[in-house]
Coordinates of all heavy atoms in Angstrom, one line a residue:
Q81 N -8.2 199.1 -54.9 CA -7.3 200.0 -55.7 C -5.9 199.8 -55.4 O -5.0 199.9 -56.4 CB -7.7 201.5 -55.3 CG -9.0 201.9 -55.9 CD -9.4 203.3 -55.4 OE1 -8.7 203.9 -54.6 NE2 -10.6 203.8 -55.8
L82 N -5.5 199.5 -54.2 CA -4.1 199.2 -53.9 C -3.6 198.0 -54.6 O -2.5 197.9 -55.1 CB -4.0 199.1 -52.4 CG -2.6 198.8 -51.8 CD1 -1.6 200.0 -52.2 CD2 -2.6 198.6 -50.3
R83 N -4.5 196.9 -54.6 CA -4.1 195.7 -55.3 C -3.8 196.0 -56.8 O -2.9 195.5 -57.3 CB -5.2 194.6 -55.1 CG -4.9 193.8 -53.9 CD -5.9 192.6 -53.9 NE -6.5 192.6 -52.5 CZ -7.8 192.9 -52.3 NH1 -8.6 193.1 -53.2 NH2 -8.2 192.9 -51.0
A84 N -4.8 196.8 -57.4 CA -4.6 197.1 -58.8 C -3.3 197.9 -59.0 O -2.6 197.7 -60.0 CB -5.8 197.8 -59.3
S85 N -3.1 198.9 -58.1 CA -1.9 199.7 -58.3 C -0.6 198.9 -58.1 O 0.4 199.1 -58.8 CB -1.9 200.8 -57.2 OG -2.9 201.7 -57.4
D86 N -0.6 197.9 -57.1 CA 0.5 197.0 -56.9 C 0.8 196.2 -58.2 O 1.9 196.0 -58.6 CB 0.3 196.1 -55.7 CG 0.5 196.9 -54.4 OD1 1.0 198.0 -54.4 OD2 0.0 196.3 -53.4
E87 N -0.3 195.7 -58.8 CA -0.1 194.9 -60.0 C 0.4 195.7 -61.1 O 1.3 195.3 -61.9 CB -1.5 194.3 -60.4 CG -1.5 193.5 -61.7 CD -0.6 192.3 -61.7 OE1 -0.3 191.8 -60.6 OE2 -0.1 191.9 -62.7
Q88 N -0.1 197.0 -61.3 CA 0.4 197.8 -62.3 C 1.9 198.2 -62.1 O 2.7 198.2 -63.0 CB -0.4 199.1 -62.4 CG 0.0 200.1 -63.5 CD -0.9 201.3 -63.5 OE1 -1.6 201.6 -62.5 NE2 -0.9 202.0 -64.6
A89 N 2.2 198.4 -60.8 CA 3.6 198.8 -60.5 C 4.5 197.6 -60.8 O 5.7 197.7 -61.3 CB 3.8 199.2 -59.0
R90 N 4.1 196.4 -60.5 CA 4.9 195.2 -60.8 C 5.1 195.0 -62.3 O 6.2 194.8 -62.7 CB 4.1 193.9 -60.2 CG 5.0 192.7 -60.3 CD 4.1 191.4 -60.1 NE 3.0 191.2 -61.0 CZ 3.2 190.8 -62.3 NH1 4.3 190.6 -62.8 NH2 2.1 190.6 -63.0
R91 N 4.0 195.2 -63.1 CA 4.2 195.2 -64.5 C 5.1 196.3 -65.1 O 5.9 196.0 -65.9 CB 2.8 195.3 -65.2 CG 2.0 194.0 -65.2 CD 0.7 194.1 -65.9 NE -0.2 194.7 -65.0 CZ -1.2 195.5 -65.3 NH1 -1.4 195.9 -66.6 NH2 -2.0 196.0 -64.4
L92 N 5.0 197.5 -64.5 CA 5.9 198.5 -65.0 C 7.3 198.2 -64.6 O 8.2 198.5 -65.4 CB 5.4 199.9 -64.4 CG 4.1 200.4 -64.9 CD1 3.7 201.6 -64.1 CD2 4.3 200.8 -66.4
Q93 N 7.6 197.7 -63.4 CA 8.9 197.3 -63.1 C 9.5 196.3 -64.0 O 10.7 196.3 -64.4 CB 9.0 196.8 -61.6 CG 8.8 197.9 -60.6 CD 8.7 197.4 -59.2 OE1 8.4 196.2 -59.0 NE2 8.8 198.3 -58.2

Side-chain angles (χ1 to χ4, degrees):
Q81 289 175 355
L82 180 62
R83 271 188 229 110
S85 295
D86 285 346
E87 177 62 24
Q88 184 180 17
R90 188 192 61 74
R91 281 184 277 145
L92 289 173
Q93 287 173 344

